[in-house]
Amino acid sequence: MTKYPLLVRDVLKRKHFESAKLIAGHQGVNRQVLWTHILEIKDFDSLINGGELILTTGVGLQLERTTQIAYLQNLIRNGAAALCIEIGDYFDHVPEELVALADEHHFPIIIFDKIVRFIDITQDLHTYIINQHQQALTQLDTISKTFMELSLMPNGILKILQVLHQDTNAHFLFVSEDTKSFYYPVEAKKHLRLIEAHCQQHDVQEPIHLLTIQSDNFVIIPVNGLGQVWGYLCMHTKLPKPSNYMLLNLERATMSIAHILMRNRMLQERQQSREDEFILALIQGQPVDIQHYQSYLPIESRNLFHRVVVLNIHYQAHIVSEEDWQEVQLHNAMYVRSILKKLGFFPTVSVRQHEIIILAFYIAADSVKESQESFDQAIQQIVSRKAPQPFNKLAITFGISNVYQTIESVPRGYKEAKSVIQMQHNQLASSIYFKDLGVYRLLLQQDNATLLQYVKDYLQEILLIDQKNGNDLYQTLCVYLACNGAKNDTAEQLFIVRQTLYKRIERLESILGNDFLQAPYRLNLEMAMKAYELLNKTAPDLLRL
């Protein structure tokens, strides 16, 4: 790694190459030389890593022509920088076939007409490379400190781009969907729309993305934060491939830019007390001056809808300390907000101790306003493997309300989302949508006393018999109704013989009547059973009949 890489053309200018001649591969003089290697054998696949300047007296080239060609092809395939041959007793000329092959692959072949000391060449070049490497490390350390200092200053991203330009003389851009884009120098602006469009269309994720458009070469590096891509740092360069020094420099710059973006987002989240106040007032049904809080809401539209989304996050002391929990919750809210924005939502977010409440506004046609696809996609991304720590280790339960259009519906939506979470905790539902709770949507609107009386009206005698004698009449009734009166299926699911089942059914008929499978009596029984299950989970003490 060097700031100014050693190229073949630079090697040709060194003292020990004064008598050297470049006889092939003239277009490859910009190949980088990483090291030198004396090679006198024909089988060397495991001996070179790429970028070596190969020195040879030609001992390994004293072969038939096909083997000589294979030798040169192997050097090219293994990424050697160039081949230096000492013309003398072992090898007196370079065949035309080798010259043609080298020219075809832009692979430089250098010859020495006079005897040279390979040890002098290696010592000179290795000293140069090592010194450059040490100098580059020092420069990287210095520029890293500069980046960190600039990240604390106003307009820090632009100032970082200026330093990058001064260090490399290349053009730089920073593009982002969420924040302002920057470029330096002014000439770089002409590529701004091109890079923005490319990053949006291709969703660049790899650590280093190389892009060539006609004669323009671009290096694009994502700026990551909280498991998300927040923007892209782009370098416009004349070089077809950036040096290791440039890449390390860009890596340090992206880290400093990420710190700036993180700090800005943290400031935004810390300043959301009024947003918390707004949502809290809404869910409690308090009067709210919408004009006062208009900055937290999207512009009114005929096709603007919203759902209330609640994330119930279970605090786990072995993952996050109590002292850090508030800070972690702010990070969690930033992460969730960024995903929803990326998917086209207009989220208003409130952070509480163990909850994140979101008014997820979105624009849709009436025909698709109930669609859950976008919400499913958001939940999948929120809990994906790419989620940042410690978010990806926390136990999270989601609740999503029905679709509403008026802000006055927020209290109802919040209650619905909380009901979904309650039903999941009680293992009475698996869906995250209130719409999917079925008959529980009606039962949850009743107070416990009303539900208990309904259970007593239809099931009390059966439950008392089970409590007193240890019978299984209630379970038998549940399975029998679920099997729609099919006795064979019921017996199989209860793991009992049919004679036992017949006796239980006779007992049920003596209590409920012979027509308990018929509507509407059956519907009443099934509703009572659902009410019993709900009370058994939420208020078991009431069921002491």
Side-chain angles (χ1 to χ4, degrees):
M1 175 200 66
T2 58
K3 178 177 180 180
Y4 304 107
L6 181 65
L7 307 179
V8 173
R9 67 184 182 195
D10 301 318
V11 170
L12 291 169
K13 298 175 184 177
R14 306 293 292 181
K15 174 184 176 182
H16 300 292
F17 284 78
E18 291 176 350
S19 63
K21 295 179 182 178
L22 179 65
I23 66 166
H26 293 76
Q27 295 185 42
V29 292
N30 286 327
R31 295 168 74 101
Q32 185 177 357
V33 177
L34 300 176
W35 206 243
T36 65
H37 192 76
I38 301 173
L39 197 62
E40 301 289 11
I41 58 175
K42 64 177 182 178
D43 297 319
F44 51 80
D45 281 352
S46 62
L47 299 180
I48 64 175
N49 298 315
E52 292 91 350
L53 182 73
I54 304 299
L55 304 173
T56 180
T57 60
V59 173
L61 289 170
Q62 289 182 314
L63 310 164
E64 62 273 14
R65 191 58 44 81
T66 56
T67 308
Q68 289 177 344
I69 292 174
Y71 174 90
L72 184 58
Q73 288 174 332
N74 208 9
L75 284 178
I76 296 171
R77 184 171 57 253
N78 282 278
L83 174 63
C84 300
I85 307 172
E86 183 182 277
I87 300 297
D89 297 335
Y90 299 109
F91 196 76
D92 57 6
H93 75 284
V94 178
E96 291 182 2
E97 292 89 340
L98 295 187
V99 172
L101 179 62
D103 284 336
E104 178 184 352
H105 293 278
H106 309 317
F107 181 76
I109 296 180
I110 302 166
I111 63 171
F112 296 100
D113 290 331
K114 299 178 182 179
I115 296 177
V116 293
R117 283 166 49 94
F118 286 170
I119 186 65
D120 293 337
I121 292 175
T122 56
Q123 184 177 14
D124 174 54
L125 295 181
H126 288 176
T127 300
Y128 176 86
I129 292 170
I130 291 171
N131 288 340
Q132 283 287 310
H133 185 82
Q134 292 298 324
Q135 184 181 354
L137 288 176
T138 302
Q139 291 170 333
L140 280 174
D141 183 60
T142 301
I143 205 167
S144 293
K145 292 177 181 178
T146 302
F147 288 153
M148 291 306 296
E149 292 172 358
L150 294 176
S151 70
L152 300 174
M153 296 182 180
N155 214 10
I157 295 179
L158 179 59
K159 291 174 180 176
I160 288 174
L161 299 187
Q162 290 174 334
V163 172
L164 285 171
H165 173 69
Q166 293 167 5
D167 190 60
T168 61
N169 203 35
H171 293 180
F172 289 90
L173 307 96
F174 172 74
V175 299
S176 172
E177 294 182 8
D178 299 330
T179 62
K180 177 183 176 182
S181 295
F182 298 90
Y183 50 85
Y184 192 86
V186 176
E187 292 79 8
K189 183 179 181 180
K190 64 181 180 181
H191 299 298
L192 185 59
R193 296 289 173 258
L194 170 68
I195 298 302
E196 286 178 341
H198 180 82
C199 292
Q200 290 174 3
Q201 293 173 7
H202 295 85
D203 191 23
V204 177
Q205 297 286 340
E206 61 264 35
I208 301 171
H209 179 74
L210 302 179
L211 173 66
T212 300
I213 301 177
Q214 296 180 351
S215 60
D216 294 315
N217 299 306
F218 300 92
V219 181
I220 303 174
I221 299 182
V223 178
N224 298 304
L226 297 177
Q228 298 286 301
V229 175
W230 284 350
Y232 301 91
L233 177 62
C234 175
M235 178 177 71
H236 175 222
T237 176
K238 296 179 181 179
L239 298 176
K241 184 178 180 181
S243 67
N244 290 336
Y245 172 84
M246 285 185 178
L247 293 177
L248 290 172
N249 206 353
L250 293 176
E251 180 183 329
R252 283 156 173 76
T254 57
M255 291 176 62
S256 295
I257 293 174
H259 289 157
I260 295 173
L261 298 177
M262 172 68 81
R263 186 177 67 252
N264 291 344
R265 292 189 180 214
M266 286 297 295
L267 288 173
Q268 292 172 6
E269 295 300 329
R270 288 187 182 280
Q271 292 170 358
Q272 70 165 19
S273 58
R274 291 183 65 216
E275 193 170 350
D276 285 331
E277 175 187 294
F278 171 58
I279 292 182
L280 185 61
L282 285 177
I283 63 177
Q284 292 179 347
Q286 299 176 3
V288 173
D289 182 359
I290 297 299
Q291 297 299 323
H292 184 63
Y293 294 102
Q294 192 61 54
S295 61
Y296 304 119
L297 299 172
I299 299 174
E300 290 187 17
S301 168
R302 164 67 183 81
N303 297 112
L304 181 68
F305 303 93
H306 73 269
R307 293 180 189 257
V308 179
V309 181
V310 176
L311 280 69
N312 185 264
I313 303 178
H314 311 286
Y315 170 72
Q316 294 161 284
H318 67 284
I319 296 178
V320 182
S321 67
E322 189 173 353
E323 295 78 14
D324 295 334
W325 181 245
Q326 185 176 2
E327 194 80 8
V328 168
Q329 275 289 71
L330 286 173
H331 279 258
N332 294 342
M334 290 168 56
Y335 169 64
V336 172
R337 188 196 296 267
S338 66
I339 288 178
L340 290 172
K341 280 187 173 181
K342 192 173 182 179
L343 291 174
F345 290 98
F346 307 98
T348 301
V349 182
S350 174
V351 180
R352 306 177 77 178
Q353 184 65 15
H354 298 293
E355 273 186 351
I356 297 177
I357 306 168
I358 306 159
L359 306 187
F361 293 91
Y362 60 98
I363 295 175
D366 287 338
S367 59
V368 294
K369 68 179 182 180
E370 299 283 348
S371 174
Q372 299 173 177
E373 183 178 349
S374 295
F375 286 90
D376 289 339
Q377 188 177 356
I379 300 303
Q380 289 173 7
Q381 290 193 24
I382 288 171
V383 299
S384 71
R385 295 180 182 178
K386 297 180 180 179
Q389 293 187 358
F391 191 91
N392 57 0
K393 296 182 179 179
L394 297 172
I396 303 172
T397 309
F398 297 87
I400 302 180
S401 74
N402 280 331
V403 176
Y404 294 102
Q405 200 162 16
T406 63
I407 206 70
E408 290 77 17
S409 303
V410 169
R412 182 176 180 180
Y414 176 70
K415 185 177 180 181
E416 291 174 353
K418 292 285 287 184
S419 297
V420 175
I421 291 174
Q422 176 191 357
M423 298 300 285
Q424 290 181 73
H425 286 174
N426 291 329
Q427 299 181 332
L428 293 175
S430 58
S431 174
I432 62 175
Y433 294 96
F434 182 78
K435 182 179 180 180
D436 298 334
L437 293 186
V439 70
Y440 287 119
R441 294 170 56 179
L442 300 177
L443 298 178
L444 286 168
Q445 296 181 31
Q446 309 301 318
D447 59 72
N448 287 346
T450 302
L451 291 178
L452 180 60
Q453 186 58 51
Y454 195 80
V455 171
K456 287 181 177 181
D457 289 346
Y458 290 96
L459 298 175
Q460 180 168 342
E461 188 174 350
I462 293 174
L463 295 172
L464 286 174
I465 290 174
D466 280 354
Q467 290 177 11
K468 182 178 180 179
N469 302 324
N471 292 339
D472 297 310
L473 285 180
Y474 177 76
Q475 183 185 12
T476 301
L477 176 62
C478 292
V479 177
Y480 191 49
L481 290 177
C483 292
N484 202 27
K487 296 183 175 61
N488 284 337
D489 295 340
T490 304
E492 288 180 4
Q493 291 194 27
L494 291 171
F495 300 103
I496 59 176
V497 297
R498 294 185 63 180
Q499 292 302 322
T500 301
L501 175 63
Y502 292 157
K503 292 180 180 179
R504 292 184 185 179
I505 293 176
E506 288 177 4
R507 188 67 184 275
L508 288 172
E509 289 176 343
S510 69
I511 298 170
L512 302 174
N514 295 331
D515 60 345
F516 72 88
L517 283 179
Q518 305 301 316
Y521 195 7
R522 173 176 176 167
L523 177 61
N524 295 336
L525 283 174
E526 290 176 331
M527 287 282 286
M529 289 159 60
K530 291 294 185 182
Y532 175 77
E533 292 171 4
L534 180 59
L535 288 174
N536 193 37
K537 292 289 187 178
T538 58
D541 292 341
L542 291 178
L543 293 176
R544 295 174 182 173
L545 305 173

